[in-house]
């Protein structure tokens, strides 16, 4: 059974940086497309960034230029580097993986069968 586990969340001041990680904890890890989502209380889950098997990245407008998605193929770890964070970036962040195209933040949650449980990021102003 495939499981994913996020880490690296915490509290950070506005304008600061944080780097999240996502690693598999089981077998059958999806490999074609990996994504980061976030969800704030009372809001829908929002797709932030995707990276496909050849390293092509795409970003939602809300984080473009501030967040960077990357992966370590050797260790099979997914990252989200967050810079110049804002109060509105406060949310629970999730990684998600799928074996199927397309790989784009416009794809809905149900496109991804594998999810982590999330890591909380809190930005103080």
């Amino acid at each position: 059974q495939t499981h994913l586990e996020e880490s690296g969340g915490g509290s950070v001041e506005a304008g600061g940086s944080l780097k999240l990680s996502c690693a598999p904890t089981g077998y059958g890890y999806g490999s074609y497309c990996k994504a980061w989502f976030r969800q704030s209380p009372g809001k829908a889950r929002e797709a932030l960034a995707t990276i496909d098997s050849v390293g092509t990245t795409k970003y939602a407008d809300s984080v473009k230029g501030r967040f960077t998605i990357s992966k370590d193929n050797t260790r099979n770890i997914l990252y989200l580097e967050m810079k110049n964070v804002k109060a509105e970036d406060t949310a629970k962040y999730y990684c998600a993986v799928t074996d199927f195209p397309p790989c784009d933040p416009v794809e809905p949650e149900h496109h991804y069968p594998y999810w982590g449980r999330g890591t909380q990021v809190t930005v103080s102003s």
Side-chain angles (χ1 to χ4, degrees), residues 33-88:
C33 179
K34 301 174 184 178
W36 284 100
F37 284 73
R38 69 183 178 190
Q39 188 168 23
S40 304
K43 294 187 178 181
R45 195 168 293 190
E46 174 191 13
L48 304 177
T50 57
I51 185 166
D52 68 13
S53 57
V54 296
T56 301
T57 59
K58 295 182 181 180
Y59 296 91
D61 288 342
S62 58
V63 301
K64 194 175 296 182
R66 298 190 300 121
F67 291 9
T68 302
I69 188 171
S70 62
K71 59 179 179 170
D72 181 333
N73 289 327
T74 301
R75 298 195 296 163
N76 209 8
I77 297 178
L78 178 69
Y79 299 103
L80 183 70
E81 186 169 14
M82 307 165 60
K83 294 184 177 180
N84 190 23
V85 296
K86 306 175 182 179
E88 53 263 43

Side-chain angles (χ1 to χ4, degrees), residues 1-5 21-35 71-73 75-79 95-99 114-115:
Q1 189 172 7
T2 298
H3 294 288
L4 302 171
E5 184 171 3
S21 301
C22 170
T25 60
Y27 295 98
Y29 188 75
S31 62
Y32 175 73
C33 179
K34 301 174 184 178
K71 59 179 179 170
D72 181 333
N73 289 327
R75 298 195 296 163
N76 209 8
I77 297 178
L78 178 69
Y79 299 103
C95 58
V97 178
T98 181
D99 288 315
Y114 309 116
W115 288 83

